[in-house]
Amino acid sequence: MAESTFPNNAAAGVVLGSEDAGPLEFWVGVAEGAVLELDDLVVADVTLPDGQVVSFFGIVDIVRKRYEGGQFDSDAFRAAEGTLPVEVSYAAHIQVTRVDPEIFVPPHPGNAVRIVRGEEFQRALFIDRMEKKVAIGHTRSGETVFANLDFLDGTRGAHVSISGVSGVATKTSYATFLLYSLFHSDALGADATNARALIFNVKGEDLLWLDKPNTHISATLTEEYKTLGLEAGPFASVGFFAPARRQGKVVVPEVGSRHEGVHPYIWTLREFARDNLLRFAFADAQDTRSQISFLIYRIERELERAAKVGDPKDPGLEVHGTRLESFDDLVEMLDSETLDHMVSNAATGTLDAFRRRLHAAAQHMGHLVRGDKEAAQHRIDWQANQVTVVDIHTLHDIAQMFVVGVLLKRMMREKETQGTARPLVFVVLDELNKYAPRSGWSPIQDVLLDIAERGRSLGVCLFGAQQTASEVERRIVANAAMKVVGRLDAAEAERGEYGFLTRVARQRATMLSPGSMIVTQPEIPTPVLLKFPFPSWATRQSEVREDSTADDPFART
């Protein structure tokens, strides 16, 4: 392409006349010596006949080069040898993101197009209209990308859905970065003091070091955080809870690499009966036609009545004249004729199925429910710290579902009791496709649906992560205001759940590297690829900085 003759020296090219130009998309011919690449944001200023200037902001979603003057594929060889005179056409397709003012006329061929930075970048993505915003990453060119806080705090929406291949998409890392940005910036304002986060640690012990600075914090990383308006460092206020070990009367947490500052958790038998928690011991997906759920309901009513009798501070309880001080005692009682008296009209096959599943549950989560005095001292207090990490990675699936279901139910009940949307609560849960599968039913699914559909009004925001959004209950994914994808499987990327991605974005999602995410949010009409910085908090014991026990220099004052 010949050297550009248009007057704007900062321009990267001009609107092409050989391709249709419309108010929502157009092609740009790139000037010699200039570069336009995928994800660049550009603007074309168009002067109307009445003198009014309309700015067409857009994002580059396709770039291509080809020979002009060549007709056959073999002409490329002749052009390379210099025997065929050709010109190289370098063009980019622009998907319009904003027309300001909203006069939807097409740009004119030959109009200058330039890359936007700074304030104009914010205009291109409507960020300038966000009254409350939080940094969610930066582009490859270093521009900060923000999210509208109104779609996270329940004002106009809530919830984040994060999808991607396990181990590559860095879903949990991005969820914790979002929390860090919320809690360690001024985004939440006065709400930051009382806002809380509940994180379930489902893989390894990566999240048990959030309060320790990362040994890899460098000047470059510090500057990267600074450009996002953040200080590089660990989370300021974190509480850690791990399941109690199976053996021994003394309750100690079942952890591997970290012991200091980790509290064991357990439920008392009275609490188990009083709060109708038996259903969460049967939390795996069931056929909705099964009679077991009705049987569980009947037994829960009996246990609830028993829990109201006697000393409310007594961790054990008495049911039908039998004193229960362990979950095994409860199983033994329900294994006897007492169960037949509780539900006299239940079919024998249903009773047998219930007992089989009860024994399986007892094997995997029975140690988390005890009736001794020691058990009463180890309750998860998720409001004591700004961030609470509940470790469940060492537990069997049945026990994991029990812990997640019970805690979320309690959290929602406490939020309902408060009667207001403040203080805010953010819940981070990975492997959402296990807890709220598209097929079947489970009590946890009911709780998660309640959060997805009513959480906004209660000030609860779910950061749900999953490998495959196509296998998660549709209403949970649909209620997420912000949708994020990391590396996706090629087949998964073609599913309808990713309809918010453009054709090119679907292709790119299959080759994203760790630390890169594609984000879409309500006010921005196109998905945006961004990067987020390496965690400034430790993600494993080997990353803990030796001086991390010293006073935290990044703590807010």
Side-chain angles (χ1 to χ4, degrees):
M1 178 176 291
E3 186 174 354
S4 172
T5 59
F6 46 80
N8 189 345
N9 294 327
V14 296
V15 177
L16 286 180
S18 56
E19 302 278 358
D20 290 343
L24 300 181
E25 62 177 349
F26 55 89
W27 283 85
V28 173
V30 183
E32 185 175 346
V35 174
L36 272 184
E37 60 178 318
L38 287 176
D39 308 317
D40 276 342
L41 280 153
V42 300
V43 63
D45 294 320
V46 178
T47 303
L48 302 182
D50 62 1
Q52 188 172 10
V53 177
V54 180
S55 297
F56 291 83
F57 294 95
I59 189 169
V60 178
D61 62 356
I62 299 175
V63 286
R64 52 93 170 152
K65 285 184 178 182
R66 66 184 181 189
Y67 279 138
E68 289 182 334
Q71 184 176 2
F72 306 105
D73 290 344
S74 58
D75 288 343
F77 297 96
R78 299 184 182 92
E81 294 168 353
T83 59
L84 179 66
V86 292
E87 293 284 343
V88 176
S89 169
Y90 179 6
H93 180 263
I94 309 300
Q95 182 68 47
V96 173
T97 60
R98 180 176 183 178
V99 181
D100 189 21
E102 292 187 343
I103 302 175
F104 290 91
V105 297
H108 192 74
N111 281 137
V113 176
R114 52 191 170 81
I115 297 175
V116 297
R117 294 282 188 264
E119 183 180 341
E120 284 191 317
F121 177 90
Q122 308 296 312
R123 286 180 63 197
L125 296 180
F126 290 91
I127 295 173
D128 61 319
R129 291 188 179 180
M130 298 178 183
E131 295 182 4
K132 300 181 296 181
K133 57 189 179 183
V134 58
I136 60 174
H138 57 81
T139 65
R140 286 183 289 113
S141 61
E143 297 288 341
T144 302
V145 181
F146 293 89
N148 192 335
L149 192 62
D150 284 349
F151 291 99
L152 290 177
D153 67 3
T155 303
R156 297 164 62 188
H159 315 310
V160 181
S161 175
I162 309 174
S163 305
V165 178
S166 179
V168 179
T170 55
K171 302 183 295 294
T172 305
S173 296
Y174 188 64
T176 50
F177 168 75
L178 287 180
L179 283 182
Y180 188 84
S181 186
L182 284 165
F183 289 145
H184 292 78
S185 68
D186 296 325
L188 292 176
D191 289 334
T193 302
N194 296 316
R196 296 291 181 264
L198 179 60
I199 305 176
F200 292 95
N201 181 49
V202 301
K203 297 174 184 175
E205 296 187 355
D206 295 356
L207 298 178
L208 295 184
W209 306 97
L210 293 182
D211 61 335
K212 305 294 184 183
N214 197 309
T215 188
H216 297 302
I217 294 180
S218 62
T220 302
L221 184 64
T222 300
E223 184 60 29
E224 191 174 355
Y225 273 87
K226 187 175 181 180
T227 60
L228 298 174
L230 301 169
E231 294 286 346
F235 282 77
S237 173
V238 192
F240 300 98
F241 293 86
R245 291 188 182 276
R246 291 177 177 273
Q247 296 82 13
K249 292 185 177 181
V250 179
V251 179
V252 294
E254 186 175 1
V255 288
S257 57
R258 177 168 184 169
H259 300 277
E260 169 264 331
V262 181
H263 307 283
Y265 61 79
I266 210 164
W267 282 266
T268 66
L269 263 175
R270 186 170 296 273
E271 184 180 9
F272 181 87
R274 183 194 65 215
D275 297 338
N276 298 322
L277 304 185
L278 178 64
R279 67 189 66 180
F280 295 107
F282 296 77
D284 53 316
Q286 307 170 26
D287 188 327
T288 54
R289 297 167 295 179
S290 171
Q291 293 298 310
I292 293 181
S293 57
F294 175 70
L295 186 60
I296 292 171
Y297 174 81
R298 293 278 302 275
I299 296 171
E300 282 183 338
R301 298 285 78 76
E302 291 286 335
L303 294 177
E304 184 181 12
R305 282 192 286 269
K308 294 178 180 179
V309 179
D311 185 359
K313 295 182 179 179
D314 181 6
L317 74 158
E318 188 172 303
V319 181
H320 288 273
T322 303
R323 173 70 182 178
L324 307 179
E325 294 190 349
S326 70
F327 194 80
D328 287 339
D329 290 344
L330 175 63
V331 173
E332 186 176 344
M333 183 200 71
L334 294 177
D335 222 6
S336 66
E337 296 179 357
T338 305
L339 178 60
D340 300 319
H341 295 308
M342 285 183 175
V343 284
S344 57
N345 58 344
T348 302
T350 302
L351 291 173
D352 290 341
F354 169 82
R355 288 184 172 115
R356 286 195 302 270
R357 296 184 63 182
L358 180 64
H359 278 277
Q363 179 182 355
H364 299 297
M365 50 71 58
H367 65 291
L368 298 178
V369 180
R370 292 169 47 165
D372 53 68
K373 293 182 179 180
E374 182 76 8
Q377 304 173 19
H378 300 286
R379 193 169 186 259
I380 295 176
D381 185 359
W382 62 272
Q383 299 197 55
N385 299 90
Q386 191 172 59
V387 177
T388 299
V389 178
V390 179
D391 181 43
I392 59 174
H393 86 279
T394 59
L395 298 175
H396 185 273
D397 281 358
I398 292 175
Q400 288 185 355
M401 292 187 189
F402 174 79
V403 174
V404 171
V406 169
L407 279 179
L408 292 183
K409 178 188 176 183
R410 194 181 96 200
M411 183 267 295
M412 287 294 285
R413 185 176 65 243
E414 292 177 8
K415 289 292 293 180
E416 289 170 346
T417 302
Q418 291 172 353
T420 63
R422 299 299 190 270
L424 297 170
V425 178
F426 300 93
V427 178
V428 178
L429 179 61
D430 198 358
E431 298 184 358
L432 199 59
N433 47 312
K434 179 171 74 175
Y435 301 103
R438 180 155 298 186
S439 58
W441 170 89
S442 77
I444 297 182
Q445 188 177 47
D446 275 355
V447 175
L448 288 170
L449 270 173
D450 194 28
I451 293 175
E453 297 177 340
R454 288 199 308 131
R456 171 188 168 187
S457 62
L458 295 174
V460 179
C461 181
L462 173 65
F463 289 10
Q466 59 277 323
Q467 294 185 42
T468 51
S470 61
E471 296 180 4
V472 177
E473 164 62 44
R474 284 187 177 90
R475 286 173 289 174
I476 294 177
V477 176
N479 276 286
M482 182 186 298
K483 294 180 173 63
V484 184
V485 298
R487 172 84 70 84
L488 289 178
D489 174 78
E492 176 69 9
E494 295 302 319
R495 302 295 292 266
E497 285 71 22
Y498 305 95
F500 58 88
L501 296 177
T502 63
R503 180 179 61 83
V504 174
R506 289 180 189 244
Q507 289 180 303
R508 299 188 69 189
T510 63
M511 59 183 71
L512 290 178
S513 59
S516 295
M517 316 295 283
I518 298 177
V519 180
T520 185
Q521 52 180 314
E523 285 189 331
I524 300 178
T526 186
V528 177
L529 186 143
L530 55 80
K531 292 180 173 290
F532 65 98
F534 187 83
S536 58
W537 51 90
T539 61
R540 57 180 63 90
Q541 186 176 22
S542 61
E543 292 180 348
V544 176
R545 203 167 63 194
E546 293 183 0
D547 61 345
S548 61
T549 55
D551 292 339
D552 180 12
F554 305 109
R556 301 177 69 186
T557 57

